[in-house]
Amino acid sequence: GAGVSQSPRYKVAKRGQDVALRCDPISGHVSLFWYQQALGQGPEFLTYFQNEAQLDKSGLPSDRFFAERPEGSVSTLKIQRTQQEDSAVYLCASSPQDRATDTQYFGPGTRLTVL
Amino acid sequence: DQQVKQNSPSLSVQEGRISILNCDYTNSMFDYFLWYKKYPAEGPTFLISISSIKDKNEDGRFTVFLNKSAKHLSLHIVPSQPGDSAVYFCAATPLFSGTYKYIFGTGTRLKVLA
């Protein structure tokens, strides 16, 4: 399958723990997005990469959230000192180029539960 | 402030009939709109899109209508099938903002009854 993959699919963390969520975009896709989806809500934008450059991180809720894409392919979203309000599904999406009309293809998400 | 609103959390439709899902937006900078479908435990999948220079776009059973003056779009599914049962999200973005992030609504859960 050549779709976007994410790991782990499920993560349970104790409050205060650090977590790292991985996204493998579709090969060759230039743009990569992270979204957070709380229960009963739509996905909310967190951050955007064009290749390895993080061009927009305006949606990251606090400085405990950090994302990287060092070689322009795989991306990692790291959450430090997790809090209960961080519990959500974290979605990664990639698109072929850097145009708004390029369809964003979503992965299955990582469901994070913070106890 | 919810810039994209889907005011109907759920909708039930009989198989074979038309499903109409609605979406309103407030930001006049939005000029590209999309509908995504989401099944449980899967990521959203793209359905159909429309840019603000058009008022209608059709793809098979799916048609999206855009009313710019009313800041309203709708998705029509004809005929509805049980496999269409899912959560539908509308999304919007400006075409030339440089960031291409989507702003999503809260979703409408469609149930197509056999």
Side-chain angles (χ1 to χ4, degrees):
Chain A
V4 178
S5 60
Q6 293 185 244
S7 60
R9 291 293 313 275
Y10 302 91
K11 177 70 180 176
V12 178
K14 291 182 179 176
R15 190 160 54 94
Q17 240 180 340
D18 297 350
V19 299
L21 313 180
R22 177 188 168 108
C23 172
D24 285 79
I26 294 171
S27 178
H29 276 197
V30 167
S31 295
L32 186 144
F33 304 81
W34 284 97
Y35 292 84
Q36 179 191 59
Q37 185 176 15
L39 194 62
Q41 301 297 312
E44 288 195 11
F45 171 79
L46 292 177
T47 188
Y48 162 61
F49 290 86
Q50 187 184 104
N51 296 307
E52 69 280 0
Q54 189 175 21
L55 297 188
D56 187 344
K57 52 183 182 179
S58 62
L60 296 176
S62 78
D63 59 8
R64 296 186 296 103
F65 287 71
F66 172 76
E68 59 183 5
R69 194 187 184 198
E71 295 175 1
S73 56
V74 171
S75 177
T76 304
L77 176 67
K78 297 179 180 176
I79 310 173
Q80 297 178 322
R81 304 180 305 281
T82 52
Q83 305 293 317
Q84 283 192 320
E85 62 262 28
D86 301 335
S87 295
V89 175
Y90 290 85
L91 294 162
C92 175
S94 69
S95 66
Q97 295 297 329
D98 55 354
R99 299 174 300 224
T101 52
D102 287 340
T103 299
Q104 292 183 25
Y105 297 91
F106 282 82
T110 295
R111 180 178 294 278
L112 173 64
T113 303
V114 182
L115 303 177
Chain B
D1 176 35
Q2 196 77 22
Q3 297 185 70
V4 177
K5 300 176 188 178
Q6 294 177 257
N7 291 318
S8 298
S10 64
L11 174 69
S12 289
V13 169
Q14 208 67 35
E15 181 180 7
R17 307 293 287 266
I18 183 171
S19 295
I20 300 177
L21 296 94
N22 294 302
C23 180
D24 297 290
Y25 62 97
T26 57
N27 190 335
S28 56
M29 298 296 290
F30 292 152
D31 47 13
Y32 190 69
F33 306 89
L34 310 95
W35 285 94
Y36 276 79
K37 176 165 95 170
K38 188 180 183 305
Y39 293 119
E42 295 183 14
T45 54
F46 170 75
L47 260 182
I48 193 168
S49 62
I50 189 167
S51 72
S52 57
I53 60 171
K54 299 173 80 171
D55 55 18
K56 176 182 173 181
N57 190 25
E58 203 168 344
D59 183 2
R61 296 185 297 114
F62 301 91
T63 303
V64 56
F65 295 91
L66 175 63
N67 182 332
K68 278 185 64 180
S69 60
K71 293 192 175 70
H72 177 83
L73 62 155
S74 61
L75 175 69
H76 293 209
I77 307 173
V78 184
S80 301
Q81 299 173 355
D84 297 329
S85 297
V87 178
Y88 289 78
F89 292 97
C90 71
T93 188
L95 271 174
F96 302 107
S97 70
T99 187
Y100 318 120
K101 63 188 178 188
Y102 292 166
I103 307 300
F104 284 88
T106 52
T108 296
R109 182 178 300 278
L110 173 66
K111 190 169 183 180
V112 180
L113 306 168

